[in-house]
Amino acid sequence: MSKDGPLPTQGLLEKRTTLALLLATIIVRTVSLVLWPDALAADPDGYRAIAENLVQHQTFGNHDSPTAYRPPLYPLLLVPCVAMASNSRLAIGALHVALGLATVWFTYRLGRTCGLERWAWWAALLVALDPILLAQSALVMTETLAAFLAVASLVWIAQTGRSDRVVHALAAGAFAGLAILCRPTFLPWACAAGLLFLVAKPAAMAKARLSLAFVGAVAVVVSPWAVRNQIHFGRPIVTTTHGGYTLLLANNPFFYEHLRRAPWGTVWRSDALDRQWSAEMPRGSPREEIHADRLAYAKAIQAIRNEPEMFCYACLVRIGRLFSPLPHQTVAEESMARRLSRYAVGIWYTTVLALAVIGASVAARRWRDPSSLGWVSCLLLVVCFTAVHTLYWTDMRMRAPLMPAIAAFAAAGTRVLWDLTNRRKVLRK
């Protein structure tokens, strides 16, 4: 490399490699949608229904009744897709492919900004081929959007650490605010990231300026949702009214009994809880939705108080499920092809997570270095998500927004092992 920058041939190679990676991402994501059975047909969490209601009734809810049960950003993005009627699945598929492409690109930028150099390609490739992200891109759910917003915010935080520019902190905060409107799980991380600037930057004025810019951008992006909820629900809800049920789903007598008696790894079916909750849950008006959320929280807390030992055990189970390398067996009679595919995914994630641990351990040693702000924010994202999902309902797909950060750590871990191997070869000579 010359003093003035990369050689022309290196720049050309980088452009070609970038183009090849992005083209491969488009192909892989598109093929996965085409081959996935009933891709984008179901609406398990009702996001498409909310988008359709917005088109038909101009209300974020059910007919004319508003709701805050789901976060707003993903349904809003679905509105132009569902407005295409018979072509809505094609439009949603195109949206997911575009988000996947942007996620891979930002993962590469994250690696470059954090100093991975050529290993940034490896991080981007891991995201392009990630089994969870591929599977979730075929579902009408928030994981695809959440992964993009997470890595976009991480890139701008890392860039802020290198530049000390307020505009970069504003961009980071804006993407973090959008992430909260996509998945409320990002809220604790956004708060922690705002404090991170105060710890990492050496100059007091820079600390306050960058932290204020980041937090201010988050507040500006999130505030319209809070104002809307104040108008309709009488409370400035920043997250959703779904938190109570998510906590109850993770902490209830039925689930605790399952953990006591069922074989390890068996998937718990929430049918009994859902029947009980449907009979007790008030829903209809905004006032009843607020009451239902409070009631769910109260029932979950009561279950925790009644069985504190099982709660502690369930917390460990949830952490294990969040980072499990092997997908659960979801059908009793599993075909050989399905079993082999599960084991292949298990091998993939065992390798990636092991490499990520190595990379994270190296990055954690430099947590006070301003140039390592990107790495520290990645680690903080993983820690905050883990803390939330230790209490709330969890499965493998919940770590989808973490995969770009984990891929960057895995690339760093790969570089460590590669350098170590090369040093040993030199010493042997």
Side-chain angles (χ1 to χ4, degrees):
M1 181 176 291
S2 68
K3 294 181 180 179
D4 297 327
L7 297 173
T9 54
Q10 291 176 317
L12 181 60
L13 178 61
E14 181 176 351
K15 290 179 180 179
R16 288 178 175 176
T17 307
T18 302
L19 182 61
L21 178 63
L22 297 179
L23 182 61
T25 301
I26 294 174
I27 294 173
V28 170
R29 292 297 177 106
T30 303
V31 169
S32 67
L33 287 175
V34 172
L35 297 181
W36 198 273
D38 300 323
L40 304 174
D43 187 24
D45 287 347
Y47 290 109
R48 180 161 44 204
I50 293 176
E52 290 171 348
N53 198 77
L54 277 165
V55 173
Q56 296 171 6
H57 301 282
Q58 294 75 54
T59 300
F60 189 93
N62 182 25
H63 295 285
D64 294 329
S65 179
T67 184
Y69 195 67
R70 295 294 183 188
L73 185 59
Y74 185 59
L76 290 175
L77 286 181
L78 291 181
V79 166
C81 298
V82 302
M84 299 179 68
S86 59
N87 293 320
S88 63
R89 286 176 64 182
L90 180 62
I92 296 172
L95 171 64
H96 281 201
V97 170
L99 289 171
L101 185 67
T103 302
V104 170
W105 167 249
F106 271 99
T107 302
Y108 168 71
R109 294 308 311 166
L110 177 65
R112 297 288 293 187
T113 308
C114 290
L116 282 179
E117 299 176 345
R118 62 190 177 94
W119 291 102
W121 302 113
W122 179 234
L125 183 62
L126 290 176
V127 169
L129 301 177
D130 185 81
I132 291 177
L133 295 179
L134 287 175
Q136 290 303 128
S137 68
L139 300 174
V140 185
M141 299 180 75
T142 60
E143 279 74 16
T144 301
L145 175 60
F148 161 67
L149 294 172
V151 70
S153 184
L154 289 170
V155 166
W156 288 113
I157 290 175
Q159 191 63 44
T160 304
R162 295 172 65 94
S163 69
D164 289 345
R165 295 183 62 185
V166 169
V167 66
H168 291 157
L170 289 171
F175 276 108
L178 291 173
I180 293 169
L181 296 179
C182 174
R183 293 280 288 272
T185 315
F186 283 101
L187 179 59
W189 172 71
C191 296
L195 297 175
L196 181 61
F197 288 105
L198 298 177
V199 177
K201 303 307 297 178
M205 187 62 68
K207 291 179 180 181
R209 185 176 68 249
L210 296 178
S211 179
L212 183 62
F214 178 85
V215 174
V218 171
V220 168
V221 171
V222 172
S223 59
W225 174 243
V227 170
R228 177 262 186 189
N229 290 332
Q230 175 66 49
I231 294 172
H232 289 295
F233 294 87
R235 292 180 175 275
I237 301 169
V238 176
T239 55
T240 66
T241 56
H242 184 56
Y245 178 75
T246 309
L247 185 66
L248 178 61
L249 190 63
N251 299 279
N252 62 81
F254 301 107
F255 181 56
Y256 288 172
E257 186 65 19
H258 168 84
L259 294 181
R260 264 193 295 265
R261 299 184 180 276
W264 175 259
T266 305
V267 176
W268 175 62
R269 307 294 181 186
S270 61
D271 298 345
L273 173 67
D274 290 339
R275 285 193 298 270
Q276 183 187 78
W277 180 239
S278 296
E280 298 178 1
M281 177 189 64
R283 180 181 290 181
S285 68
R287 183 188 297 271
E288 289 173 328
E289 189 172 304
I290 291 287
H291 178 63
D293 190 42
R294 291 176 176 173
L295 178 61
Y297 269 113
K299 290 174 72 67
I301 293 172
Q302 187 60 49
I304 293 170
R305 288 175 176 172
N306 290 342
E307 301 184 75
E309 297 86 358
M310 284 305 303
F311 166 70
C312 293
Y313 176 62
C315 288
L316 297 177
V317 170
R318 284 188 284 272
I319 295 174
R321 290 184 175 182
L322 181 62
F323 293 104
S324 173
L326 183 67
H328 282 300
Q329 179 179 340
T330 56
V331 294
E333 299 297 329
E334 188 177 47
S335 67
M336 181 58 66
R338 190 183 185 96
R339 181 174 301 173
L340 290 176
S341 66
R342 282 200 309 114
Y343 289 162
V345 170
I347 294 171
W348 169 281
Y349 278 125
T350 299
T351 304
V352 169
L353 292 174
L355 291 171
V357 169
I358 296 172
S361 64
V362 174
R365 297 172 189 171
R366 299 183 298 166
W367 70 276
R368 290 189 65 88
D369 183 357
S371 63
S372 296
L373 193 64
W375 287 122
V376 179
S377 60
C378 287
L379 189 59
L380 195 62
L381 178 65
V382 175
V383 170
C384 289
F385 259 66
T386 303
V388 171
H389 286 297
T390 299
L391 304 177
Y392 289 80
W393 180 252
T394 307
D395 52 35
M396 276 184 69
R397 71 176 177 87
M398 300 296 184
R399 73 167 183 259
L402 305 180
M403 292 318 303
I406 291 174
F409 281 128
T414 305
R415 183 177 63 176
V416 169
L417 295 181
W418 181 269
D419 293 342
L420 183 60
T421 301
N422 287 339
R423 289 195 195 100
R424 287 180 177 176
K425 288 181 178 179
V426 172
L427 290 175
R428 287 175 184 174
K429 293 179 180 180

